[in-house]
Amino acid sequence: MTESRDCKTPGPTRRQALGLLGAGLAVTGVAISGVGAAAHAQDSDDKVLTEALVLRDPEIPVAGNADGNITIVEWFDYNCPYCRKLEPELRQVVQDDGKVRLVLKDWPILGPVSKVASRMALAAKYQDKFLAAHEAMMGVNSKLTEPRIRELLSGAGIDIDRLDRDLSTNAKAIDAILGRNNDQARAFGFTGTPAFIVGKYRVPGALTMGEFEQVIADARKAKMN
């Protein structure tokens, strides 16, 4: 995986906390590292870095099969062209498989507008419209601006006046989600978007449909061992 395929963020912070265990696996030429059964922090105050919150944070929207036997966690930025390009292929893999939980973690690392987009998407969940907001913003090819975001969300059937109220009322909760997402991504050593956890495997970059299918299969095998 070359760095040019990812949207970049500044280098890792001091939190290199989540243990990476086991030998790397070669999945169709893509290096995958196993992650520990529990994600734990060296810093005692990093309570968010647990397997439960990485895989099953109750505040994070889930697509695919909520009762699936394998979880894919994606860290993404709405202004990342690689995330957008990957989106329909990843959704197709999840749909075809039928037993994958897709956990969608906003990681707005590409500037202030990315943060606006993520906060608006997370506010839309209070209308049960997160996925509509997510698909609307992932489905464009041009760089987002705040007026364009509002136009897209309105076109997706989201009540913008309510969205603004929910943004204000739930600002602390939304910012806490983004903070947890950022801490987890940095602790895993991710340096750009998109980035994934598939089962217990760490995937620091985009995959093809075939590669996703293979790593899902490998994750299922690993879960049985």
Side-chain angles (χ1 to χ4, degrees):
M1 181 70 63
T2 61
E3 289 191 351
S4 63
R5 290 184 64 182
D6 299 331
C7 299
K8 305 306 290 178
T9 185
T13 66
R14 64 185 178 86
R15 289 187 175 95
Q16 297 301 313
L18 300 179
L20 303 181
L21 305 180
L25 296 177
V27 179
T28 322
V30 179
I32 309 295
S33 299
V35 302
H40 60 278
Q42 294 173 348
D43 299 301
S44 60
D45 61 337
D46 286 332
K47 302 295 186 181
V48 301
L49 298 178
T50 65
E51 181 177 356
L53 282 179
V54 170
L55 300 182
R56 298 184 180 276
D57 187 330
E59 298 299 319
I60 300 294
V62 174
N65 183 344
D67 298 317
N69 57 19
I70 284 293
T71 298
I72 296 178
V73 185
E74 179 186 11
W75 283 264
F76 63 89
D77 185 303
Y78 286 113
N79 263 324
C80 170
Y82 306 107
C83 299
R84 292 175 180 171
K85 181 178 180 181
L86 177 72
E87 174 74 8
E89 296 183 355
L90 176 59
R91 283 302 187 92
Q92 190 64 52
V93 168
V94 170
Q95 180 179 321
D96 290 349
D97 184 282
K99 295 181 180 179
V100 172
R101 294 176 67 249
L102 178 58
V103 179
L104 298 167
K105 298 209 177 196
D106 289 82
W107 191 24
I109 57 176
L110 297 177
V113 174
S114 292
K115 292 180 182 178
V116 169
S118 287
R119 295 184 81 251
M120 286 188 172
L122 289 168
K125 75 176 186 156
Y126 297 100
Q127 301 180 44
D128 294 324
K129 293 288 182 69
F130 173 86
L131 290 179
H134 180 80
E135 291 170 2
M137 288 190 283
M138 281 294 188
V140 296
N141 293 321
S142 58
K143 191 170 183 178
L144 294 173
T145 62
E146 185 168 347
R148 180 62 172 145
I149 292 168
R150 290 180 175 274
E151 179 184 359
L152 289 167
L153 298 189
S154 178
I158 293 164
D159 182 331
I160 300 299
D161 289 337
R162 179 177 171 182
L163 185 81
D164 287 335
R165 293 194 300 272
D166 286 334
L167 270 172
S168 177
T169 302
N170 301 288
K172 288 184 178 180
I174 291 169
D175 288 343
I177 291 169
L178 294 177
R180 289 198 298 275
N181 291 354
N182 178 69
D183 285 349
Q184 291 166 4
R186 288 177 177 271
F188 274 118
F190 295 140
T191 59
T193 55
F196 302 89
I197 299 296
V198 182
K200 296 297 176 71
Y201 293 116
R202 172 181 173 276
V203 184
L207 301 181
T208 65
M209 288 181 68
E211 289 166 350
F212 265 119
E213 289 168 355
Q214 186 170 342
V215 76
I216 289 167
D218 288 345
R220 284 202 172 102
K221 291 177 184 177
K223 187 176 180 181
M224 295 174 66
N225 293 333

